[in-house]
Amino acid sequence: MHALIREAEALCLRTGVTFTPPRRRVLELLAASKIPMKAYDLISQAGADGHPFKPPTVYRALEFLCQLGLVHRIEQDATFVACCHSGHTQPVALFVCNSCLKVTEVAYPNVAKVLENAAQAQGFQVESIVVEGRGQCAPCAQAA
Amino acid sequence: MHALIREAEALCLRTGVTFTPPRRRVLELLAASKIPMKAYDLISQAGADGHPFKPPTVYRALEFLCQLGLVHRIEQDATFVACCHSGHTQPVALFVCNSCLKVTEVAYPNVAKVLENAAQAQGFQVESIVVEGRGQCAPCAQAA
DNA sequence: CATTAGCATGTTATAAGATAACATAACAGG
DNA sequence: CCTGTTATGTTATCTTATAACATGCTAATG
């Protein structure tokens, strides 16, 4: 069993929320994938073994997992990826490789502060930030 | 005529690309809107005066305008907003107010470098970055 | 001036992403 | 047992975006 699943179980137990079958199934698929997945890939694959999952079920599971920080949604291309840091609470930037599509997570604790201050300087009170990027991951940059 | 339209004309002239009617129309609508617009709002409004615009036409215009930096796409909610800095090339973060939906643009020249370096430290070669946020703009924060 | 290359738009159809609305089930607490 | 709560099942639909191909416009070339 994937470590992330154990994480999820523990986290749910701690916070008093339930780790139901569809939530588990979606997280399993994401954890097993090396690259971000589209919602409809999850929908078809989740039901590959007989029990078909419909869109709302999967979208609900994704929303749940995102809230817990176990999964990230990549806004630029509407895909979802399992979080490799386990249940972190610090902000992460997601860098997607243009060649292999794998995600590199980059924490940016101080940078977040700077951004918040820059916004604050214009009177804007920041509540959430999304940072995403594109480029070449280490192995693909090597190969090029 | 909106200043942004003059900007666009000048910019297109300089760079040898053409500022065609649909491109102008879409930019006009965005420039006139105080808040980001959805593509399909543009599609219906662009044709309000008799000449209907179809989705591909509007999406093409948006792509064009985004490439020129005259319009930004807000990834989190698939909306589009006219850029208030005229044809800047420096990176901007877009902060959307949760109350009034207006956008505050925040430049972050040095922060971008820091992010790139943080990614680079993990071997990731950054090609592009998107920074978006949510919160309360100055007037709405006052009111609250 | 005809030809043609290039770029841009027009048109039709459909793919892809997401959610509203309501029904059903499972389960804990009184 | 009843009831409130939480989660899933189901149907239908809405929203966002693009593929594929036809047509038109303009400007350079010969």
Side-chain angles (χ1 to χ4, degrees):
Chain A
M1 183 167 75
H2 200 287
L4 193 49
I5 303 292
R6 272 194 298 273
E7 292 273 353
E9 283 175 345
L11 181 58
C12 288
L13 210 59
R14 273 207 309 283
T15 56
V17 295
T18 54
F19 193 53
T20 60
R23 292 168 180 175
R24 167 187 292 266
R25 184 82 179 102
V26 168
L27 185 57
E28 279 172 356
L29 286 169
L30 285 173
S33 175
K34 293 191 181 343
I35 60 174
M37 292 181 73
K38 297 179 184 178
Y40 273 76
D41 289 345
L42 287 166
I43 289 163
S44 47
Q45 290 190 29
D49 58 347
H51 181 140
F53 284 77
K54 303 262 174 77
T57 303
V58 170
Y59 277 103
R60 285 165 184 156
L62 286 169
E63 188 184 1
F64 174 88
L65 295 167
C66 285
Q67 275 174 2
L68 285 169
L70 295 165
V71 166
H72 299 300
R73 183 196 147 104
I74 298 172
E75 306 289 345
Q76 287 181 82
D77 48 4
T79 56
F80 300 85
V81 68
C83 176
C84 61
H85 307 76
S86 41
H88 60 74
T89 16
Q90 69 176 329
V92 245
L94 301 174
F95 287 90
V96 181
C97 177
N98 281 325
S99 301
C100 70
L101 303 182
K102 285 183 190 158
V103 172
T104 301
E105 290 196 15
V106 178
Y108 61 107
N110 11 349
V111 174
K113 273 272 170 282
V114 177
L115 278 170
E116 279 171 34
N117 292 339
Q120 187 68 262
Q122 296 186 42
F124 195 98
Q125 191 69 40
V126 175
E127 289 167 13
S128 68
I129 299 186
V130 171
V131 178
E132 295 180 5
R134 292 267 173 184
Q136 296 286 122
C137 71
C140 291
Q142 289 287 324
Chain B
M1 182 169 73
H2 200 289
L4 193 48
I5 303 292
R6 272 194 298 273
E7 292 272 355
E9 284 175 344
L11 181 57
C12 289
L13 209 58
R14 272 206 309 282
T15 56
V17 295
T18 55
F19 194 53
T20 60
R23 291 167 182 177
R24 166 186 295 264
R25 184 81 179 104
V26 168
L27 185 57
E28 280 172 356
L29 288 170
L30 286 173
S33 175
K34 292 189 181 344
I35 59 175
M37 293 182 72
K38 296 178 186 180
Y40 274 75
D41 289 344
L42 287 165
I43 289 164
S44 47
Q45 290 189 31
D49 59 345
H51 181 139
F53 283 77
K54 303 261 174 79
T57 304
V58 170
Y59 277 102
R60 285 165 183 156
L62 286 169
E63 188 185 359
F64 174 87
L65 296 167
C66 285
Q67 275 174 3
L68 261 65
L70 295 165
V71 167
H72 298 299
R73 183 197 148 105
I74 298 173
E75 306 289 345
Q76 286 181 83
D77 48 4
T79 57
F80 300 85
V81 66
C83 177
C84 61
H85 307 75
S86 41
H88 60 74
T89 16
Q90 69 176 329
V92 239
L94 302 174
F95 287 90
V96 181
C97 176
N98 281 326
S99 300
C100 71
L101 302 182
K102 284 183 191 159
V103 172
T104 302
E105 290 196 15
V106 178
Y108 60 108
N110 9 352
V111 176
K113 272 273 170 280
V114 177
L115 278 171
E116 280 171 33
N117 291 340
Q120 187 67 263
Q122 296 185 42
F124 194 97
Q125 191 69 40
V126 175
E127 288 167 14
S128 69
I129 300 187
V130 171
V131 178
E132 295 180 4
R134 293 267 172 184
Q136 296 286 122
C137 71
C140 291
Q142 290 287 325

